[in-house]
Amino acid sequence: MSSAPSDCRFDVTRRKTFSQLLGSRSRKQKRRCSSELVPREAVVRLMKHHQNLGDLLLEVTGSGSERDGVDSDDHNAGTPARGSFIASVFREQALINDVPPGLLTARTAVEKIQQIEQLGLTPRHTVMLDADQRGKLVCLLQSLRELMSTGMLSRLQFREEIWKAKEVPMLEVVWHLQKENIVSLEELVTSNPDVTFAVRWLFDNLCLLCSEAEDQYQHQDIPRQILSDIVAELVGNGFKESNNLESDRKERQFSQVCFEVLNRMLLWLLDNLCKENETEGASVERATQFWLNVFDTALFHGTLSPDLLKQFFYHTLTQILTFNPVLEASDAIRMQGEWCFAKTKILLTTLYRKIFVLFSAEELIVHLRQVLETHEVNWQNVLSCASTLLVCQPPTQQLLKELLANLLTNSFENYELESIITAFLLVRQAAVEGPAVFISYSEWFKKSFGSANGYHGGSKKALIFLLKFLTDLVPFETVQYLKVHILHPPYVPSKYRALLLEYVSLAKTRLADLQASVEDMGLYEDLSTAHEAPKPQCQALQDVEKAVQIFETTGKIPASVMEASIFRRPYYLARFLPALLVPRALPDSLDSHMAFIDSLKRADKIPDTMYASYIHACNREKQQQLEGVSTFEAMDHGREPIEVLSAALEELRKVAIDPSKTDVVSAQIAVISGQLKTMIDDEDHCTAMDKPIQLDTVVDSLGPLEMEVRDLLLKSFCQTFLVVSSFNPPQRQGEWASLFVKMLCGHRRLLSAVLLRVLHLTCRQASSLSDVHVLGLAGFTLHIHILRISLSVESLQSAGKEEVSFVNHLNQSLVCRTGECSTFCLRFCTAAVAYAVCLSSSRCSSALDVVQQFVPPVFMQKLQYVIPRLIPKCRRDHDVVVEPIWINLVGLHLNWTAAAISLFKHHTFKELAEMKHFQLTFYDWLMFELEVQPHGDLLSDVDRQEYQHWACYQHYLPSPLAAGGCGGDLLTACRTIINSLMDFSKRAKVQSFEEFSCSRRPSFNRSSYENIICRLQEMVFDLESVRAKAPREDGHFLLDVFLDRRAKLELQTLSKQIEQQIELQLFTRILVALPPCVLFKTRIDGLKTTLECEEFFHFTNAELRNGYCKEFVLPFHIVSHFFRGLLNASVHCEKPSSAVDGILSNSKVRCPLLMLSATYWWARLEPVLCTQWKRSSDTPFPRELQTMLDSQLWASRLLVGKLESGPPCCPWVLGAFLYFTLQRGNSLKMLQTAMREICAENKEFQVSVLYLTLMHLVSSLLQPKETSDLTVPLKTCADMIMILEEQNQPWLDIFMVVNKDYKPHQILFSMISDVERKLLPIVFYSLMIILDPKLVSSVIKHSDFLFVAITLHSAMVKLFLDGENIIPVSDQPDLQNSNQPDPLELITKGRRFLLRVIPSCSGQIISQHNKLQAVCKDIDLELKASLDHQLQLCAGDGLYSEPTLL
């Protein structure tokens, strides 16, 4: 019999198998007659001498396997016959050889298997068959299955023969035997008594399977099927419950083998993962990657229960964490910064993530703690596992905090060192991943140990335990942790302070050894860790050269390059591609180098930006080739990391589209964070995320690389935001944006730069921003708001800096002054609020509660203002809708108007607008509207007036107070408008000052101030129409606004006093803009109408007198406003003239400052009043006004030399007309003539004139001018004193205003301000020291002179001691020769004057000794002594004579 063909699948129409030949022959013999039959014995004899049993198995089985061209009925009928025939052949052969038939069959099958394995080109040390071998094996196995059905093949004997064979079958053969149910793996393993050999054999075959799997290109699914079935068998038996194994020794043995093989494979895997040397090539990495498929739960197709898989994964995780624990905790403390997620090998992180699939975060944390408590661990694996768990499973963050709390509690309760070491290592590892993953180390340290409630605060022993632990860490600590412990030390009671100082001293010594110093840090400097930039690797150039050679030979991208692009992406992007893409002059024909680049580009293995830059550089190189300039030589190698970062951000854009890939997104953001650490020396996982950002420290210190990274990050966020939004609404976009912003918070310098850029774009380039930019910036700003990022900015109210949220700081610049600004505010705030509303709907808690946390109130208020203003439809449409709002913000051409309307009508927006801190109150609306610049407004003057009327009268006036309206009260509306006008004016003054300081044109006068004043005037007119009919009420609504505001100011400080003066000026500006009759109340009692003005009199005496007088009179516009209002209001009375006379007569007593100011401004005031009176009444001029007119005419005639008696008038009013007229005519010398010849008998008139001259002197003291001195006012005062002395008129009591109990001349005193009153002592002594000695001798004879002089001197000294520098000092050096008095010098001269005149006043001393002693006892002891001495002299002489002073 000839040998079988090489393949059992041949064409049966040309050749027939041995079985078919026998079958044909049998049928023919039945048809032949018996005489033609061949003796059967001859055939049997022939077979005995020529048959090959191994080939017979293949040949016979081949007929059964090939069904083409064979009748199916014949085949089905012949299969048992063929099996019987084979069995008969083996029986006969067994008889001949005298061996059992089953043994012969088993031995023949094993020999044939070995023959098949030795065929082909594959080496012996392999586990996989080629296609030809696999075909023969299939044929053989079918024959064996038929023999087993006839009982000719024994499983036991077959297993024994397998182990007796020279070579154990390949793993694929074993898999086929189990798959065809011939011999199972369990039966095969348990039949070998040498368990160690079985374990080693199975382990070696699995390792070879992993190494050869990727080479099976034609049958790539076979290795995975083998792996799946074998591993399922190993896991299913290796992790069985022990109670199921007690009865069967072989099952226990097989379970032991399975468990041991899995352990060995796991150790092999971990050994490959932890190898530092990468010179073994990609084969080991490829084999490792294949074995990782074991941990894909889908690989088992439900063949294993979840509990078994969990046990296997738990065991695997334990083995990983405890593998090769050679590193001590001290090593981990020093090196753990290099074990973060971004720097961990991708295969190891892939293994972690596959294991995590079956478990919840809580289960993993519990298991991690159990391993840490019961095993000696590999700290690198433990910490990298913790990083991966935190990055890929966000719920772990809270669980880790609880674990840390338990560890620290246990540590300080039991003083257990291992627990505190574990806690510190875990928290530092978590903080390394940045604030997107975990709080910073400094924040955790402060929360845990920064207060008396910390873990160490229970006892002294606990404190010593902590400090001892920190001290032991010092030799291994890195810079950033030492700085945290020094700058944020643990809380230590004062009596144990020395213990802390010892640690601080040691830590500072360690910092000095590390060439770092805490002392060199600024107050607001961020803690940072120095990261050296990776040096260029020459190996990359060699890798490029080798890859190009392989590509040139095979025409395919080398597998090592493809694997590096996936599993070694940082190296691939940062080293390999830059070395490959070196600019050069490209050849005319495509060379192998360029062909390799093109292949990589078609495979999407080169980022578009990097490829475009390469082509551009090559073209430039070609242009410069003739000049001998090399682009490569000028190439900025510092840009290489930018390309890596750009590629990582592009990858984030791809993975962020799928919101279900949270772990992938977290991992990619961790990669981006790691790349940023290598590029910019600003990594600080120790700084708390809630620490305010210092923008001013970054403005001028950004380098080119930092600015490029800043722009790239912001651009990438906007692009990713747009791409993701085009696929999913915000509530289904996942956490990528939040994680991105949290990641930035871990790079505070970059975050500062990005925030500064956002402010610059939104404030200065808003009009040029596209819709993509607006959407992206709005989304970014919202996530910054959610994280409550704050800034430290200069405070306008107080010196220094204040903390303000970024959104509020941005809102200060989002003003609606012009139409362009308003449109941008509409777009930006609509995008931000709509995004926040949609984003909040993805949270499981109460929607409205979440929305309040997400939506910035300032943006809500801005939208409530700008939408009705720019979209009139929204003013009258109050519908509420629930339709989606994000749909209007997606697309190439966004419809911002539709989006704003949709948002404005949305039920969530309406609900928020009703909440207090989201409301746009009437006051808020006014402040926004006052910002508008009419010349740049989108609304015309008519449209703006219509809109303001709608807002005031239709919206806010009828709205209830709880909704931010006025509750239908015009008085409330007027008060609100006045308050807003004053606040806006104060703020505008500050802004104007800032704009001047920044060399910008101030915008104070470019507002809608006049428009709002008009609205106030309209409301006041409406209010006045009903106030006359209203019942009598106390106070004045207009003046009460100012008084209420004044009551809130603390006037003890100088700044508050200045602020009060500013408020008074602003209020007066509003006051004179309103109808003047508002100052008066019209009362109707029966048939009589009267006027009242008490409130304005009180306002003038209390406020205007002290804060608004210039040169001791009120400004003209206030005086004119009062008189015009008086004449207007008098028209409503039955007798207008009498009403005017009554008010003016009353004002001379109740508010003389008004009448004094009227006399000063009468020349300008008289034509206004005359014209108004003639226009409103036919009656004669009111008597009081006529008297004032006559007094002015009299003074004018006196000015030209016509001496005549004055008209009947109040003496001080007449004196004021005389003094002001002569002053304007520069003829004050004529006062002496008038005083001596006309008014000699009118004492009150003369005193009032002296008072006015004194006030002129006081005014000169308060407002010194460079072009004048005090000579004129001093001489005028001296002349007036001389005249009064000549006429023996008392005048000293005019200075006693400093004595609050002194009553004379109260009308005159009520005209001057408190500051002017304080200057009267200075005026008195300025006069006394320049008076003629004869005049002084006359003055001191007054009985009250000494008391007045000592009282004024005491007041002057007290004024100096209190530090009130009332007299302004000029900075001009040429004023040193002026007569401006020096306070200290004047006090000295005044004391000398008193000491000189005291001996001449003995009579006064005797009569007023007690009173004089009471005045000067606490001020000047020398004066008191002089008085006592003079009193003793007088008592000794009995009589005294006044000495002359001449």
Side-chain angles (χ1 to χ4, degrees):
M1 179 180 176
S2 62
S3 62
S6 61
D7 195 336
C8 64
R9 292 191 291 268
F10 56 87
D11 189 356
V12 297
T13 60
R14 293 179 296 171
R15 298 181 62 187
K16 294 186 177 181
T17 65
F18 183 66
S19 177
Q20 289 171 337
L21 290 173
L22 290 178
S24 299
R25 183 178 181 185
S26 176
R27 288 191 291 271
K28 291 178 181 179
Q29 286 179 347
K30 291 180 182 180
R31 291 193 293 268
R32 293 176 183 177
C33 59
S34 58
S35 60
E36 296 178 354
L37 294 176
V38 178
R40 186 177 184 85
E41 292 77 7
V43 176
V44 173
R45 191 180 306 112
L46 178 65
M47 292 176 60
K48 289 178 181 179
H49 290 284
H50 296 283
Q51 71 178 349
N52 183 327
L53 294 181
D55 291 343
L56 178 63
L57 291 176
L58 292 181
E59 182 66 27
V60 174
T61 306
S63 65
S65 64
E66 181 58 58
R67 302 185 183 186
D68 294 338
V70 180
D71 183 78
S72 61
D73 293 336
D74 294 340
H75 171 74
N76 294 333
T79 299
R82 289 191 297 272
S84 300
F85 172 75
I86 293 289
S88 64
V89 172
F90 273 92
R91 286 192 191 97
E92 292 177 3
Q93 190 67 29
L95 289 174
I96 296 173
N97 296 330
D98 193 21
V99 293
L103 179 60
L104 178 62
T105 305
R107 187 172 297 167
T108 304
V110 171
E111 291 175 355
K112 194 59 184 176
I113 289 174
Q114 291 184 340
Q115 291 176 12
I116 292 174
E117 290 179 349
Q118 292 173 359
L119 296 175
L121 300 176
T122 58
R124 179 62 191 93
H125 297 289
T126 183
V127 295
M128 300 294 296
L129 301 172
D130 59 23
D132 184 54
Q133 291 172 317
R134 195 171 291 114
K136 291 183 180 294
L137 180 63
V138 170
C139 297
L140 175 61
L141 294 179
Q142 284 195 337
S143 296
L144 295 181
R145 194 168 56 248
E146 293 173 1
L147 289 174
M148 289 185 66
S149 66
T150 62
M152 283 298 296
L153 180 61
S154 169
R155 293 176 184 268
L156 178 60
Q157 293 176 332
F158 185 60
R159 296 196 303 266
E160 292 176 350
E161 290 300 321
I162 288 177
W163 291 115
K164 291 178 182 179
K166 184 178 179 181
E167 296 287 347
V168 182
M170 295 180 181
L171 187 62
E172 183 178 354
V173 174
V174 175
W175 173 69
H176 281 291
L177 290 174
Q178 173 167 294
K179 192 173 181 63
E180 296 297 331
N181 200 23
I182 297 174
V183 175
S184 67
L185 180 63
E186 180 179 359
E187 294 171 338
L188 183 62
V189 171
T190 55
S191 64
N192 190 341
D194 189 353
V195 176
T196 303
F197 176 79
V199 170
R200 184 173 65 252
W201 164 77
L202 193 51
F203 167 71
D204 293 341
N205 278 266
L206 287 175
C207 292
L208 288 173
L209 175 66
C210 296
S211 301
E212 300 173 11
E214 297 298 326
D215 296 332
Q216 302 296 317
Y217 296 109
Q218 297 179 353
H219 301 278
Q220 293 181 1
D221 56 334
I222 293 180
R224 289 182 61 86
Q225 292 177 10
I226 296 174
L227 182 70
S228 172
D229 294 342
I230 297 297
V231 172
E233 187 79 13
L234 296 176
V235 174
N237 290 276
F239 291 91
K240 276 185 179 180
E241 295 292 338
S242 59
N243 55 4
N244 295 332
L245 306 176
E246 294 176 357
S247 60
D248 193 333
R249 181 189 62 81
K250 289 187 176 182
E251 286 188 9
R252 291 198 300 272
Q253 176 185 343
F254 184 60
S255 176
Q256 180 183 355
V257 170
C258 293
F259 187 81
E260 183 63 26
V261 170
L262 288 175
N263 258 356
R264 288 198 178 190
M265 289 303 300
L266 183 56
L267 294 176
W268 169 82
L269 171 68
L270 294 176
D271 187 58
N272 290 340
L273 291 177
C274 297
K275 282 182 179 178
E276 297 294 337
N277 191 358
E278 300 181 359
T279 58
E280 298 184 15
S283 59
V284 173
E285 189 172 330
R286 192 162 55 242
T288 305
Q289 174 67 27
F290 182 75
W291 181 252
L292 289 181
N293 293 325
V294 168
F295 302 98
D296 288 336
T297 56
L299 185 69
F300 303 104
H301 303 292
T303 57
L304 295 177
S305 67
D307 291 338
L308 278 177
L309 278 179
K310 278 191 172 184
Q311 290 183 38
F312 173 52
F313 280 21
Y314 269 138
H315 174 73
T316 301
L317 184 58
T318 302
Q319 291 297 104
I320 295 173
L321 300 180
T322 58
F323 173 74
N324 194 19
V326 295
L327 293 177
E328 300 290 339
S330 58
D331 300 320
I333 291 172
R334 186 177 64 254
M335 302 167 59
Q336 68 178 132
E338 301 299 320
W339 300 340
C340 63
F341 178 83
K343 296 182 179 181
T344 302
K345 289 188 176 182
I346 192 169
L347 289 179
L348 184 57
T349 58
T350 302
L351 174 59
Y352 289 141
R353 292 163 66 179
K354 289 178 181 289
I355 293 175
F356 295 164
V357 169
L358 280 182
F359 306 104
S360 66
E362 185 175 3
E363 291 174 324
L364 291 168
I365 287 292
V366 170
H367 186 73
L368 177 62
R369 181 171 186 178
Q370 291 176 351
V371 173
L372 289 171
E373 291 176 347
T374 58
H375 294 77
E376 187 177 0
V377 297
N378 181 321
W379 280 113
Q380 182 175 1
N381 289 356
V382 167
L383 297 180
S384 62
C385 175
S387 286
T388 306
L389 185 58
L390 284 166
V391 169
C392 299
Q393 293 201 17
T396 311
Q397 302 172 16
Q398 183 59 36
L399 297 172
L400 180 60
K401 292 179 182 179
E402 296 173 2
L403 173 60
L404 294 172
N406 292 334
L407 288 172
L408 290 177
T409 301
N410 178 63
S411 175
F412 282 94
E413 286 179 353
N414 304 315
Y415 303 103
E416 184 180 333
L417 191 60
E418 290 185 1
S419 294
I420 193 172
I421 290 175
T422 303
F424 269 70
L425 285 173
L426 288 177
V427 75
R428 291 182 179 186
Q429 191 66 26
V432 165
E433 302 301 332
V437 175
F438 201 75
I439 61 176
S440 67
Y441 176 74
S442 64
E443 185 176 353
W444 174 85
F445 191 81
K446 285 188 291 184
K447 287 183 178 180
S448 301
F449 306 107
S451 66
N453 298 325
Y455 295 98
H456 66 302
S459 64
K460 177 183 178 182
K461 186 176 181 181
L463 173 62
I464 294 175
F465 175 73
L466 173 64
L467 293 177
K468 175 67 167 56
F469 169 71
L470 294 178
T471 302
D472 292 340
L473 290 183
V474 168
F476 315 103
E477 291 277 42
T478 53
V479 171
Q480 76 273 16
Y481 297 119
L482 289 172
K483 289 181 178 179
V484 169
H485 297 163
I486 294 174
L487 297 178
H488 308 290
Y491 169 79
V492 175
S494 57
K495 58 183 177 180
Y496 304 130
R497 198 70 180 171
L499 300 176
L500 177 62
L501 294 178
E502 291 180 5
Y503 167 75
V504 171
S505 176
L506 181 62
K508 288 184 177 180
T509 303
R510 171 64 177 164
L511 282 176
D513 295 339
L514 296 174
Q515 296 182 349
S517 175
V518 176
E519 285 76 11
D520 293 338
M521 296 178 58
L523 291 177
Y524 303 100
E525 182 179 351
D526 288 339
L527 305 178
S528 60
T529 305
H531 291 274
E532 294 183 3
K535 298 180 179 179
Q537 300 292 337
C538 297
Q539 183 64 38
L541 295 175
Q542 300 176 7
D543 292 345
V544 169
E545 183 179 0
K546 183 67 175 178
V548 173
Q549 290 177 356
I550 297 175
F551 176 80
E552 189 175 9
T553 303
T554 62
K556 297 180 180 179
I557 299 175
S560 58
V561 175
M562 297 296 290
E563 291 164 1
S565 68
I566 300 173
F567 303 115
R568 299 185 60 201
R569 195 167 183 80
Y571 170 81
Y572 176 78
L573 292 175
R575 298 288 170 260
F576 183 83
L577 285 184
L580 175 66
L581 302 179
V582 175
R584 63 190 182 110
L586 298 178
D588 296 333
S589 59
L590 199 66
D591 60 358
S592 57
H593 191 95
M594 193 61 197
F596 180 54
I597 294 175
D598 289 343
S599 297
L600 287 175
K601 182 66 176 66
R602 287 193 298 270
D604 288 333
K605 297 300 180 182
I606 301 179
D608 294 338
T609 54
M610 186 179 288
Y611 183 78
S613 300
Y614 169 71
I615 296 299
H616 177 72
C618 289
N619 293 335
R620 187 172 54 191
E621 182 75 15
K622 191 171 184 178
Q623 293 176 2
Q624 297 178 351
Q625 192 174 32
L626 295 178
E627 302 175 6
V629 179
S630 173
T631 305
F632 176 70
E633 293 175 357
M635 183 179 178
D636 183 7
H637 293 279
R639 291 183 57 87
E640 291 180 8
I642 281 288
E643 305 297 341
V644 180
L645 179 62
S646 178
L649 292 170
E650 288 180 7
E651 184 66 23
L652 174 64
R653 192 176 311 141
K654 296 176 183 178
V655 300
I657 296 175
D658 187 354
S660 63
K661 297 182 178 180
T662 304
D663 57 338
V664 179
V665 171
S666 300
Q668 187 60 30
I669 287 181
V671 171
I672 295 172
S673 179
Q675 180 60 26
L676 290 176
K677 294 175 185 178
T678 64
M679 296 174 64
I680 297 178
D681 184 16
D682 186 46
E683 168 58 24
D684 182 16
H685 49 266
C686 298
T687 300
M689 191 168 64
D690 58 356
K691 182 180 178 181
I693 301 294
Q694 302 287 330
L695 291 185
D696 53 352
T697 61
V698 186
V699 176
D700 301 322
S701 60
L702 291 179
L705 177 62
E706 292 172 317
M707 289 190 288
E708 192 169 2
V709 171
R710 173 202 65 187
D711 295 340
L712 180 60
L713 288 172
L714 199 54
K715 177 183 177 182
S716 176
F717 182 92
C718 295
Q719 291 176 344
T720 306
F721 187 86
L722 183 67
V723 171
V724 175
S725 297
S726 63
F727 284 92
N728 299 299
Q731 62 269 28
R732 293 202 298 270
Q733 290 181 6
E735 298 293 331
W736 77 267
S738 176
L739 294 175
F740 186 96
V741 177
K742 287 181 180 178
M743 176 271 295
L744 268 185
C745 293
H747 305 269
R748 294 179 64 82
R749 182 173 176 81
L750 274 179
L751 177 62
S752 302
V754 171
L755 294 182
L756 197 64
R757 183 60 174 165
V758 171
L759 289 172
H760 186 274
L761 289 173
T762 53
C763 301
R764 300 188 182 182
Q765 299 182 22
S767 59
S768 61
L769 295 179
S770 65
D771 294 337
V772 176
H773 292 118
V774 173
L775 283 174
L777 292 175
F780 182 84
T781 302
L782 182 71
H783 283 286
I784 290 292
H785 168 72
I786 294 174
L787 294 178
R788 300 299 188 263
I789 300 300
S790 60
L791 307 177
S792 179
V793 298
E794 295 292 340
S795 174
L796 299 179
Q797 284 74 26
S798 60
K801 295 188 176 182
E802 62 178 352
E803 183 176 339
V804 61
S805 70
F806 174 76
V807 170
N808 289 341
H809 186 67
L810 173 63
N811 180 68
Q812 295 174 6
S813 303
L814 287 178
V815 293
C816 300
R817 291 195 181 107
T818 63
E820 189 178 80
C821 297
S822 299
T823 303
F824 176 75
C825 285
L826 176 70
R827 297 164 63 202
F828 186 83
C829 295
T830 297
V833 175
Y835 180 65
V837 171
C838 295
L839 191 63
S840 62
S841 63
S842 64
R843 300 303 191 268
C844 58
S845 57
S846 175
L848 202 56
D849 293 339
V850 176
V851 172
Q852 293 183 61
Q853 300 175 8
F854 280 24
V855 177
V858 290
F859 288 175
M860 271 291 297
Q861 295 171 351
K862 195 81 72 175
L863 283 179
Q864 293 176 74
Y865 168 73
V866 75
I867 290 179
R869 196 175 199 279
L870 300 184
I871 309 175
K873 178 182 178 181
C874 295
R875 302 175 194 171
R876 54 186 180 274
D877 194 350
H878 301 287
D879 297 340
V880 178
V881 297
V882 294
E883 62 183 12
I885 56 179
W886 192 251
I887 191 173
N888 294 309
L889 295 173
V890 179
L892 297 178
H893 303 287
L894 303 186
N895 190 339
W896 289 104
T897 301
I901 294 175
S902 176
L903 176 62
F904 192 75
K905 293 181 179 180
H906 199 267
H907 70 98
T908 304
F909 188 92
K910 297 291 186 182
E911 292 174 358
L912 284 177
E914 294 175 359
M915 297 182 176
K916 186 171 183 180
H917 56 291
F918 287 100
Q919 287 178 355
L920 180 72
T921 63
F922 186 37
Y923 174 86
D924 297 329
W925 177 86
L926 288 166
M927 295 300 287
F928 283 142
E929 189 66 17
L930 283 166
E931 290 278 359
V932 176
Q933 299 173 359
H935 68 278
D937 193 8
L938 282 179
L939 304 181
S940 64
D941 292 342
V942 175
D943 292 338
R944 184 167 53 257
Q945 182 178 358
E946 179 184 353
Y947 164 68
Q948 291 175 355
H949 278 153
W950 168 83
C952 293
Y953 288 98
Q954 300 179 41
H955 184 62
Y956 285 109
L957 184 59
S959 296
L961 293 174
C966 304
D969 186 8
L970 276 172
L971 187 59
T972 301
C974 292
R975 287 175 179 269
T976 305
I977 294 177
I978 294 172
N979 279 317
S980 65
L981 287 170
M982 294 183 65
D983 290 339
F984 172 77
S985 298
K986 288 172 63 177
R987 188 176 70 184
K989 283 181 178 293
V990 175
Q991 292 176 350
S992 177
F993 173 78
E994 290 180 339
E995 291 171 352
F996 270 124
S997 63
C998 298
S999 300
R1000 297 203 306 263
R1001 184 180 178 185
S1003 57
F1004 176 61
N1005 294 322
R1006 304 197 304 272
S1007 69
S1008 292
Y1009 186 92
E1010 290 76 12
N1011 295 115
I1012 302 303
I1013 284 289
C1014 291
R1015 306 291 84 78
L1016 177 62
Q1017 291 171 344
E1018 295 167 354
M1019 287 190 172
V1020 168
F1021 181 81
D1022 294 338
L1023 184 63
E1024 285 298 306
S1025 63
V1026 298
R1027 282 180 69 241
K1029 302 178 182 179
R1032 187 180 184 88
E1033 60 182 12
D1034 296 331
H1036 190 286
F1037 81 95
L1038 192 60
L1039 302 177
D1040 288 345
V1041 175
F1042 174 80
L1043 297 178
D1044 291 342
R1045 293 174 64 94
R1046 185 181 185 277
K1048 298 177 182 178
L1049 296 176
E1050 299 177 0
L1051 300 181
Q1052 288 79 8
T1053 62
L1054 180 60
S1055 61
K1056 293 298 182 181
Q1057 294 175 7
I1058 296 175
E1059 185 177 355
Q1060 194 267 342
Q1061 291 182 2
I1062 293 175
E1063 290 231 339
L1064 180 62
Q1065 295 175 3
L1066 298 176
F1067 178 76
T1068 306
R1069 181 186 180 193
I1070 298 172
L1071 185 66
V1072 297
L1074 298 178
C1077 58
V1078 175
L1079 301 179
F1080 300 87
K1081 292 182 180 179
T1082 304
R1083 297 300 178 193
I1084 301 177
D1085 297 329
L1087 299 177
K1088 185 177 180 181
T1089 302
T1090 58
L1091 297 180
E1092 296 179 0
C1093 195
E1094 290 299 322
E1095 288 79 9
F1096 183 71
F1097 287 166
H1098 176 74
F1099 175 74
T1100 302
N1101 292 330
E1103 306 300 338
L1104 295 180
R1105 178 177 63 87
N1106 285 312
Y1108 215 75
C1109 286
K1110 185 178 181 181
E1111 296 183 355
F1112 63 91
V1113 294
L1114 296 174
F1116 172 77
H1117 62 278
I1118 296 178
V1119 179
S1120 174
H1121 197 70
F1122 171 79
F1123 277 90
R1124 289 191 300 109
L1126 175 61
L1127 298 187
N1128 286 340
S1130 67
V1131 176
H1132 301 287
C1133 301
E1134 293 77 9
K1135 296 182 179 180
S1137 296
S1138 299
V1140 172
D1141 292 337
I1143 292 293
L1144 294 181
S1145 298
N1146 192 25
S1147 68
K1148 292 178 183 178
V1149 178
R1150 303 298 301 275
C1151 189
L1153 180 59
L1154 272 174
M1155 293 302 293
L1156 179 67
S1157 303
T1159 60
Y1160 184 84
W1161 298 109
W1162 186 255
R1164 294 174 58 185
L1165 188 62
E1166 181 261 336
V1168 175
L1169 299 182
C1170 290
T1171 302
Q1172 184 175 348
W1173 182 259
K1174 292 178 182 178
R1175 185 172 60 250
S1176 60
S1177 177
D1178 296 333
T1179 60
F1181 212 34
R1183 175 176 49 81
E1184 288 292 334
L1185 293 178
Q1186 185 61 48
T1187 301
M1188 297 179 72
L1189 180 59
D1190 295 340
S1191 298
Q1192 178 63 53
L1193 293 175
W1194 169 77
S1196 299
R1197 288 194 295 270
L1198 184 62
L1199 180 62
V1200 296
K1202 297 181 179 180
L1203 300 178
E1204 58 186 29
S1205 300
C1209 182
C1210 178
W1212 69 264
V1213 175
L1214 189 64
F1217 272 112
L1218 174 62
Y1219 182 80
F1220 291 140
T1221 302
L1222 296 179
Q1223 184 186 28
R1224 283 193 295 270
N1226 294 323
S1227 301
L1228 287 177
K1229 296 179 180 180
M1230 296 183 62
L1231 274 176
Q1232 298 184 40
T1233 303
M1235 295 283 285
R1236 288 190 175 100
E1237 299 182 9
I1238 301 177
C1239 305
E1241 302 299 329
N1242 195 333
K1243 173 186 174 183
E1244 188 175 352
F1245 174 85
Q1246 292 178 338
V1247 172
S1248 64
V1249 173
L1250 174 61
Y1251 160 78
L1252 292 175
T1253 58
L1254 292 175
M1255 290 307 99
H1256 185 194
L1257 178 57
V1258 169
S1259 177
S1260 300
L1261 288 173
L1262 287 174
Q1263 298 177 0
K1265 298 180 181 179
E1266 289 78 358
T1267 57
S1268 63
D1269 53 32
L1270 301 179
T1271 304
V1272 174
L1274 281 173
K1275 186 178 185 308
T1276 304
C1277 290
D1279 292 342
M1280 295 305 302
I1281 292 173
M1282 182 179 63
I1283 293 174
L1284 290 173
E1285 284 297 318
E1286 289 176 357
Q1287 298 178 0
N1288 199 22
Q1289 295 286 353
W1291 55 273
L1292 284 173
D1293 53 358
I1294 200 172
F1295 289 97
M1296 288 309 295
V1297 70
V1298 295
N1299 190 342
K1300 297 180 181 179
D1301 299 329
Y1302 203 78
K1303 299 299 182 182
H1305 311 298
Q1306 285 300 312
I1307 291 180
L1308 297 179
F1309 297 152
S1310 62
M1311 300 181 190
I1312 62 177
S1313 66
D1314 295 340
V1315 174
E1316 291 168 337
R1317 290 183 184 181
K1318 291 181 179 181
L1319 287 178
L1320 285 177
I1322 296 177
V1323 170
F1324 177 81
Y1325 279 99
S1326 298
L1327 287 170
M1328 289 298 105
I1329 61 178
I1330 67 167
L1331 289 180
D1332 185 78
K1334 293 182 179 180
L1335 185 57
V1336 172
S1337 299
S1338 175
V1339 170
I1340 64 175
K1341 292 179 182 179
H1342 289 268
S1343 60
D1344 57 349
F1345 169 77
L1346 192 59
F1347 174 73
V1348 172
I1350 293 179
T1351 301
L1352 294 178
H1353 185 269
S1354 299
M1356 183 170 59
V1357 173
K1358 186 176 185 301
L1359 188 68
F1360 178 78
L1361 294 179
D1362 290 343
E1364 296 190 43
N1365 188 16
I1366 299 178
I1367 301 178
V1369 179
S1370 177
D1371 294 332
Q1372 300 294 332
D1374 56 353
L1375 291 181
Q1376 295 177 355
N1377 298 325
S1378 69
N1379 294 330
Q1380 191 73 21
D1382 176 61
L1384 184 59
E1385 181 182 357
L1386 190 61
I1387 291 174
T1388 303
K1389 290 182 178 180
R1391 190 160 62 84
R1392 292 174 183 172
F1393 172 78
L1394 285 174
L1395 293 175
R1396 190 172 70 250
V1397 300
I1398 282 176
S1400 304
C1401 302
S1402 301
Q1404 299 178 40
I1405 295 174
I1406 295 174
S1407 61
Q1408 304 177 16
H1409 180 265
N1410 293 334
K1411 187 165 60 172
L1412 293 174
Q1413 289 284 3
V1415 173
C1416 66
K1417 67 177 181 179
D1418 297 328
I1419 299 298
D1420 198 317
L1421 295 179
E1422 187 177 359
L1423 287 178
K1424 181 182 178 182
S1426 178
L1427 291 174
D1428 291 339
H1429 176 69
Q1430 190 63 33
L1431 180 62
Q1432 293 175 1
L1433 292 178
C1434 294
D1437 295 342
L1439 297 174
Y1440 69 95
S1441 60
E1442 295 183 2
T1444 179
L1445 297 178
L1446 299 179

